[in-house]
């Protein structure tokens, strides 16, 4: 069931603790990596191959054909879709991958679905049964639909109703040879996203030139991010920056991190009315100052998911250094990176409580904040 295609160099250091299996292929070793998400019960699975040279390469794993071209559905659901320009396009399936890291996730497995939750809705091109959820109100259906709908809010693209989403089998389950429930979403219902507005502050002990590079595929930035990053930023202890003759208070970037996005294993679940207050308190708990907190809230408070309950999970400096490492010269003495993964739910969920650690600022200090909200700018469940 493997289709092994070399698709790029990959640094697996962030995944060592999540490696579940390995298999020797001559002098190369294939590793399977799993990230379990406590809030959705989904597990993202990826594969990497370590070559004899020490190079790591991402692999694809295709237990089921992703193109729907030769699939059949018992209710006659189409295997194509009409894009926003009115063109008919062949439809494909993809994993419900989340986060803003690399694309090494190749399948998503459900840890919570049982056979009683499933109903047969069609056949794959090889004759395997395609399952849907027995109710359009099932958690995975409503969650995926909410994210699809909210991502297109204000867009010119037509938004399908929940009924259409369900009838077209927006989310399907296909068992692999081991009987595991692999969860897929139709391509045009899958909303991709990047790490949203990471902002970098520089506080050197004395005014000096600083260079900053980020391990990400930067798509938007201010000031303009060049191929080799921001080179020659004049930074003052106050945090004031000058770059190419222009004054800035911070460096802003958006994009896809080149490392893996960590699993959501803990967090804080609060009522929506309490989310902003909780965010402010947790930013203080992690060592941000008043200006940084004000800047963060100015951007993120309006993006709190419009759901009765909100999950707040913070990625810390070590996790961000694996997801999108910062290379700063001269090297700072203190680095504080906080990144909020925020999601909304109709009912409260139970999660292990997250312990936040405050970092004391010493010497040249770099602070970065950013975030991702799945209900507004989703990259999947």
């Amino acid at each position: 069931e493997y289709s092994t295609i070399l698709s790029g160099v990959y640094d697996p250091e962030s995944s060592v603790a999540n490696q579940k299996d390995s298999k020797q292929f001559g002098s190369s070793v294939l590793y399977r990596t799993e990230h379990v998400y406590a809030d959705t019960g989904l597990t993202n699975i990826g594969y990497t191959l370590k070559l004899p040279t020490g190079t790591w390469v991402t692999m694809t794993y295709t237990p089921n054909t992703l193109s729907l071209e030769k699939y059949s559905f018992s209710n006659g659901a189409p295997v194509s879709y009409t894009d926003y320009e009115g063109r008919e396009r062949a439809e494909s399936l993809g994993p419900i991958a989340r986060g803003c890291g690399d694309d090494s996730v190749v399948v998503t497995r459900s840890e919570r679905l049982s056979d009683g939750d499933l109903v047969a809705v069609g056949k794959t091109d090889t004759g395997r049964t395609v399952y849907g959820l027995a109710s359009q109100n099932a958690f995975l259906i409503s969650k995926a639909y909410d994210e699809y709908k909210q991502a297109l809010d204000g867009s010119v693209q037509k938004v399908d109703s929940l009924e259409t989403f369900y009838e077209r089998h927006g989310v399907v389950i296909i068992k692999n040879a081991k009987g595991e429930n692999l969860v897929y979403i139709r391509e045009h219902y899958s909303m991709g996203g990047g790490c949203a507005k990471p902002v970098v502050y520089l506080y050197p002990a004395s005014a000096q030139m600083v260079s900053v590079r980020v391990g990400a595929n930067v798509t938007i930035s201010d000031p303009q991010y060049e191929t080799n990053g921001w080179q020659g930023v004049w930074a003052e202890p106050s945090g004031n920056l000058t770059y190419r003759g222009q004054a800035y208070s911070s460096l802003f970037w958006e994009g896809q991190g080149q490392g893996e996005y960590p699993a959501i294993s803990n967090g804080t679940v609060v009522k929506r009315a309490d989310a902003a207050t909780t965010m402010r308190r947790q930013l203080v708990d992690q060592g941000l100052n008043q200006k940084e907190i004000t800047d963060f809230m100015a951007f993120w408070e309006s993006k709190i998911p419009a759901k009765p309950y909100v999950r707040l999970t913070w990625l810390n400096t070590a996790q961000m250094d694996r997801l999108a490492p910062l290379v700063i010269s001269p090297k700072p003495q203190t680095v504080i990176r906080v990144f909020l993964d925020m999601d909304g739910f109709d009912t409260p969920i139970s999660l292990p409580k997250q312990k936040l650690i405050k970092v004391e600022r010493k010497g040249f200090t770099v602070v970065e904040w950013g975030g991702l909200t799945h209900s507004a700018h989703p990259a999947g469940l």
Side-chain angles (χ1 to χ4, degrees), residues 25 181 238 277 283 362 366:
F25 286 91
N181 292 320
S238 63
T277 300
L283 287 166
K362 296 180 181 179
V366 173

Side-chain angles (χ1 to χ4, degrees), residues 285-315:
D285 292 344
Q286 295 174 90
L288 270 68
N289 66 28
Q290 190 55 55
K291 179 187 184 309
E292 294 155 1
I293 293 172
T294 298
D295 290 350
F296 181 96
M297 296 303 299
F299 184 80
W300 285 105
E301 187 167 359
S302 64
K303 295 172 177 57
I304 296 173
K307 288 290 183 177
Y309 297 90
V310 177
R311 173 188 55 72
L312 308 173
T313 299
W314 298 91
L315 275 58

Side-chain angles (χ1 to χ4, degrees), residues 247-319:
Y248 298 89
S249 61
S250 60
L251 306 173
F252 151 63
W253 67 273
E254 283 189 7
Q256 205 79 4
Q258 294 173 352
E260 281 197 338
Y261 199 83
I264 301 302
S265 58
N266 53 33
T268 305
V269 180
V270 296
K271 293 181 179 179
R272 189 181 190 279
D274 299 326
T277 300
T278 304
M279 289 160 63
R280 288 181 184 274
R281 184 177 67 250
Q282 292 184 333
L283 287 166
V284 171
D285 292 344
Q286 295 174 90
L288 270 68
N289 66 28
Q290 190 55 55
K291 179 187 184 309
E292 294 155 1
I293 293 172
T294 298
D295 290 350
F296 181 96
M297 296 303 299
F299 184 80
W300 285 105
E301 187 167 359
S302 64
K303 295 172 177 57
I304 296 173
K307 288 290 183 177
Y309 297 90
V310 177
R311 173 188 55 72
L312 308 173
T313 299
W314 298 91
L315 275 58
N316 58 31
T317 301
Q319 291 171 316

Side-chain angles (χ1 to χ4, degrees), residues 78 80-83 91 144-150 152-153 155-170 186 188-191:
S80 61
Y81 72 100
T82 303
D83 68 15
E91 184 76 288
Y145 178 75
D146 278 349
E147 294 187 358
Y148 152 72
K149 181 180 178 181
Q150 292 184 49
L152 295 182
D153 184 33
S155 169
V156 297
Q157 187 173 343
K158 177 181 178 293
V159 178
D160 287 345
S161 66
L162 174 60
E163 291 73 20
T164 299
F165 181 90
Y166 183 69
E167 290 171 1
R168 290 177 64 97
H169 310 302
R186 281 193 181 233
H188 83 282
Y189 288 133
S190 177
M191 302 292 107

